[in-house]
Amino acid sequence: MTDFFKDIPHIRYEGPDSDTEFAFHHYNPDEMVMGKRMEDHLRFAVAYWHSFAWPGGDPFGGQTFERPWFGDGMDLARLKADVAFEMFDILGAPFFCFHDADVRPEGATFAESLRNLEEIVDYFAEKMETHRTRLLWGTANLFSHRRFMSGAATNPDPEVFAYSAATVKSCMDATHRLGGQNYVLWGGREGYETLLNTDLKREVEQAGRFLQMVVEYKHKIGFKGAILIEPKPQEPSKHQYDYDVATVYGFLKRFGLEDEVKVNIEQGHAILAGHSFEHEIALAASLDLFGSIDMNRNDYQSGWDTDQFPDSVPETARAYYEILRTGGFTTGGTNFDAKLRRQSLDPEDLILAHVGAMDVCARSLKAAAALLEDGALERAREARYSGWDRADSKAMLENGLAEISDLVLSKGIDPKPQSGRQERLENLWSRFV
C-alpha cells in the first residue's frame, strides 16, 4: 500500500439522507433498475490519463499538481499503478481505461517504449489477479508527442504512419492481454490546420486504410471486443476527420467498415460539434453504431473542451434515457474522461470528484429508467407517427412522385397541422427528473 490516499475510507452506499462526505448517496451498485444491477447498467470506468497522468495545466498555464509518481522510470510507473488500483478499490470502480503514454515512460526508441509498455502490462495483469477492476478499453496516444504534430494515420510522412501502426498494434496487444472489452481510436491530430498544405483525399484514404488494418489485426489475434472510434470536431486541429457520429458513419461506409466499428461518444466532443450528448447517442443507436460513452461536461462559457465531471442530473438523464432506449451497454460503459480543476490539489479531491459524478449518473439512470418504464413519453412518440402504421401510408413509400401526386389529387388530401406538444412532453420529463 502507498500512503497517497491515507485515511480515505472505501466509499460505501449510505443513501440520500446520509451527510457523510465520503459516501455514495445515490449510487448503490446492487440496486435493481429495470431488472439489472445498477453497477451493471452504468459500468463505471476511471480514466488513467486525467486521474494519474495529467499535471494540472490548461491552455494558459502549466503544471499545478505535484504527484509522487511524476517523472521518468519504471519504478515511478509501478508506483502510479499501485496508487491507481488503490483508488479503484476505494471507489469500487469495475473498470479503468488507459493510453500507452499514460502508463509507461517514453523510451529513447520505439523498442524501448514497447519494452516499458509490456513490463507495465505484466504488472497490471498481476494487479488484476488480486483486484476486481477490469479493463474497459485501451488506446494509443497518437497526438501528444511532436512526431504526431501533422497527424498519425493521416501524416504526410510514411514513417510516422508506420510508427503509428506499430504503436496501435502494441496497444491492441496490451488490451487483448488484459482482457479489455473494447479498443478505442481517437484521432487527436487526424485533421488539418490549413488547406494550403493539405491533400484531403489522400489523408482520408490513409485513415481509412489504417482503420481497415486495425480491424484485420483484431481478427488475426482473436480479439473479441469492439473497435470504437471517438468523434471530435476540432481542438487541436481546425477540422478533424471524425467530426461527429454522422461523419464517422459516412467514413465507415466509404471504407466498408460499418459492420466492424462502433463509436465511443463523449459529451464534451458532442457539444463542440454543435450537438447535444443525447443527439449523438440517439443517432449512433439509429445507425447501429452505439458502443460506449465518455462522461464529462464542458464549461459553456469557455471555448474549449474542459473535461469537467458531470454535475447536472437533467442533462445527464437525457443521455441515459437514450442509452436505455437502445438496450443499454454491451461491451461499453461510462468512462469518466474528466479531470480535476487545476486548483483542486488534494487526493481527497480526486476521490470526491468521482463520488459526486457517480451519484449524478446514478440519479440520472434511475430517473431515465422510471420515465421509460412509465411509457408515457414513448406512447406520445408512437402516437405522433401512428399515421405511418396504416397500410396506405406504407404503400406510399413504395410508389413514386407521380403516383403520390395522383393520390393527393384523387383524394383531395389537405393536411392540417397537428401540435408537436413539446411543452407538455417537457413537463412530463420534468416530473421524473
Side-chain angles (χ1 to χ4, degrees), residues 255-364:
F255 293 99
L257 296 168
E258 67 272 19
D259 296 327
E260 295 280 1
V261 180
K262 297 188 183 299
V263 287
N264 179 59
I265 302 168
E266 178 182 314
Q267 177 167 7
H269 296 177
I271 292 166
L272 285 177
H275 305 306
S276 67
F277 196 18
E278 61 267 24
H279 163 83
E280 289 288 84
I281 294 169
L283 180 59
S286 74
L287 297 170
D288 195 27
L289 285 187
F290 179 69
S292 193
I293 62 170
D294 277 0
M295 178 59 76
N296 57 25
R297 65 184 168 96
N298 283 359
D299 184 326
Y300 293 109
Q301 294 175 299
S302 297
W304 67 89
D305 189 12
T306 54
D307 286 329
Q308 294 173 245
F309 284 89
D311 70 347
S312 170
V313 173
E315 188 174 56
T316 305
R318 297 284 182 108
Y320 282 116
Y321 187 83
E322 296 302 331
I323 291 170
L324 290 174
R325 280 189 73 217
T326 195
F329 295 117
T330 53
T331 61
T334 302
N335 175 48
F336 289 115
D337 190 357
K339 54 180 180 270
L340 296 174
R341 299 304 87 195
R342 64 199 304 265
Q343 300 176 55
S344 300
L345 305 178
D346 299 335
E348 291 84 354
D349 296 326
L350 188 55
I351 297 297
L352 291 174
H354 283 84
V355 169
M358 292 163 82
D359 268 347
V360 166
C361 292
R363 291 176 65 191
S364 301

Side-chain angles (χ1 to χ4, degrees), residues 69 165 262 385:
W69 56 84
K262 297 188 183 299
Y385 294 93

Side-chain angles (χ1 to χ4, degrees), residues 116 131 174 379 403:
N116 291 342
H131 296 259
R379 287 193 296 273
E403 291 84 358

Side-chain angles (χ1 to χ4, degrees), residues 133-261:
T133 304
R134 305 294 93 183
L135 179 62
L136 186 66
W137 50 261
T139 186
N141 182 324
L142 301 179
F143 48 89
S144 293
H145 195 280
R146 66 191 297 267
R147 72 173 65 90
F148 303 120
M149 66 182 184
S150 299
T154 59
N155 202 288
D157 185 345
E159 291 193 351
V160 177
F161 183 101
Y163 196 103
S164 303
T167 301
V168 167
K169 176 190 177 297
S170 70
C171 292
M172 292 181 71
D173 289 339
T175 301
H176 189 36
R177 160 93 165 84
L178 295 173
Q181 299 192 17
N182 310 268
Y183 184 82
V184 171
L185 298 109
W186 176 56
R189 301 281 179 187
E190 308 293 30
Y192 67 83
E193 295 177 5
T194 175
L195 282 173
L196 296 177
N197 65 2
T198 301
D199 184 333
L200 283 171
K201 185 174 186 295
R202 179 187 293 273
E203 290 196 0
V204 173
E205 287 176 347
Q206 286 177 203
R209 180 59 192 133
F210 192 97
L211 186 56
Q212 288 171 342
M213 292 177 184
V214 168
V215 170
E216 290 164 5
Y217 190 66
K218 166 192 168 171
H219 293 302
K220 180 178 181 180
I221 64 176
F223 178 60
K224 301 303 183 185
I227 301 295
L228 307 177
I229 287 182
E230 183 171 325
K232 188 177 184 182
Q234 62 220 16
E235 193 220 40
S237 297
K238 178 179 180 179
H239 174 83
Q240 291 181 211
Y241 300 129
D242 51 4
Y243 191 94
D244 59 7
V245 169
T247 305
V248 169
Y249 181 68
F251 173 82
L252 295 175
K253 287 286 285 186
R254 176 175 175 180
F255 293 99
L257 296 168
E258 67 272 19
D259 296 327
E260 295 280 1
V261 180

Side-chain angles (χ1 to χ4, degrees), residues 58-74:
D58 66 16
F60 307 102
Q63 178 173 339
T64 60
F65 297 163
E66 294 179 352
R67 306 300 197 205
W69 56 84
F70 281 178
D72 294 326
M74 290 303 298

